[in-house]
Amino acid sequence: FQVLPADSEASARQIMDQVGEAARDPRGQAAVASVAVLAASFLYWRAKNKPNQLPTIQQLLDEEPELTYFRGEWQKLTDEGQWDKPNLDRKLEQSMLVVLAPTNRSFQLASPKTQKMDRGAWRKLLITHVAQTTLSQEELEARASVVSCTNLIVPLSLIKDTYSDETVQVRRPLQANNGLIYVVDEVLLPERLSIAVA
């Protein structure tokens, strides 16, 4: 039998085709054919059930049309400044990043309050929309708030929709390999948030 890479469905099918040819050959050995069938079956199963690799938060932001303003302003931020800019492309070992990403419309509505900000205040505003946490998604969504990367307490009511019958539905986040993105309808203004006590 020809040795084929074991990383695709096509490879598994080629092996099964070879096994079929060997089975028609009277000189073929039944034991070899049986082993080959098992191997091909395993390869086919693995190719079909191979887990998909999740993108990073930055890659997800690049693909979301309603988050283009946030993405564009985030990319303009330099690594130098009062607040450390979290790397949205880096996978963390024991924690995850949570991005509360305002829609383009949210920034448009907030522009009367944000357009007068200086560079330092604007930087703080953007980084306030990111938190680093060791909580799981379930634990995070059960909480009332989270501490942002600017040490401000961010209310998680932003990620929850309350309906007329008083039921609450948590918004489904975009899953990344280094955290979560929640699309929100409000820009967080740091002056309206409380500082977290260490």
Side-chain angles (χ1 to χ4, degrees), residues 1-195:
F1 294 99
Q2 179 185 357
V3 177
L4 295 166
D7 60 355
S8 70
E9 181 179 334
S11 296
R13 287 186 176 171
Q14 285 178 316
I15 291 173
M16 289 196 296
D17 289 342
Q18 291 178 20
V19 170
E21 290 176 14
R24 289 191 291 274
D25 185 349
R27 295 172 294 175
Q29 297 181 2
V32 173
S34 297
V35 170
V37 167
L38 289 173
S41 298
F42 170 74
L43 293 177
Y44 184 78
W45 175 86
R46 192 173 75 172
K48 293 291 282 184
N49 293 280
K50 191 173 182 179
N52 294 325
Q53 296 295 323
L54 289 173
T56 64
I57 288 174
Q58 184 62 60
Q59 290 168 334
L60 284 176
L61 285 176
D62 291 342
E63 297 170 0
E64 284 298 314
E66 64 179 335
L67 302 178
T68 53
Y69 191 84
F70 179 79
R71 180 190 73 218
E73 293 302 310
W74 185 267
Q75 289 173 340
K76 291 178 190 175
L77 290 181
T78 63
D79 290 331
E80 298 176 1
Q82 182 179 2
W83 304 101
D84 290 337
K85 176 186 176 183
N87 185 345
L88 303 184
D89 258 331
R90 184 168 63 94
K91 189 171 181 181
L92 305 170
E93 290 298 322
Q94 297 180 342
S95 61
M96 68 172 176
L97 295 173
V98 178
V99 178
L100 304 174
T103 61
N104 297 336
R105 177 163 172 73
S106 299
F107 276 107
Q108 185 179 21
L109 293 173
S111 63
K113 297 174 183 175
T114 61
Q115 63 186 357
K116 298 177 184 177
M117 287 183 170
D118 61 26
R119 291 175 62 185
W122 184 244
R123 178 184 181 86
K124 184 176 183 180
L125 179 145
L126 290 173
I127 296 175
T128 295
H129 288 82
V130 182
Q132 183 174 335
T133 181
T134 57
L135 298 172
S136 68
Q137 179 182 339
E138 293 75 19
E139 292 169 329
L140 178 76
E141 292 175 351
R143 294 175 71 102
S145 62
V146 67
V147 178
S148 76
C149 291
T150 56
N151 202 40
L152 294 175
I153 300 172
V154 175
L156 291 178
S157 55
L158 285 174
I159 67 170
K160 299 169 185 176
D161 295 316
T162 304
Y163 297 98
S164 56
D165 62 355
E166 298 186 0
T167 58
V168 177
Q169 179 72 43
V170 177
R171 296 186 178 190
R172 186 173 181 177
L174 303 173
Q175 300 273 351
N177 64 15
N178 57 342
L180 305 167
I181 299 175
Y182 290 91
V183 178
V184 298
D185 299 322
E186 182 181 334
V187 174
L188 293 167
L189 300 173
E191 64 268 21
R192 293 187 176 179
L193 303 176
S194 303
I195 297 174

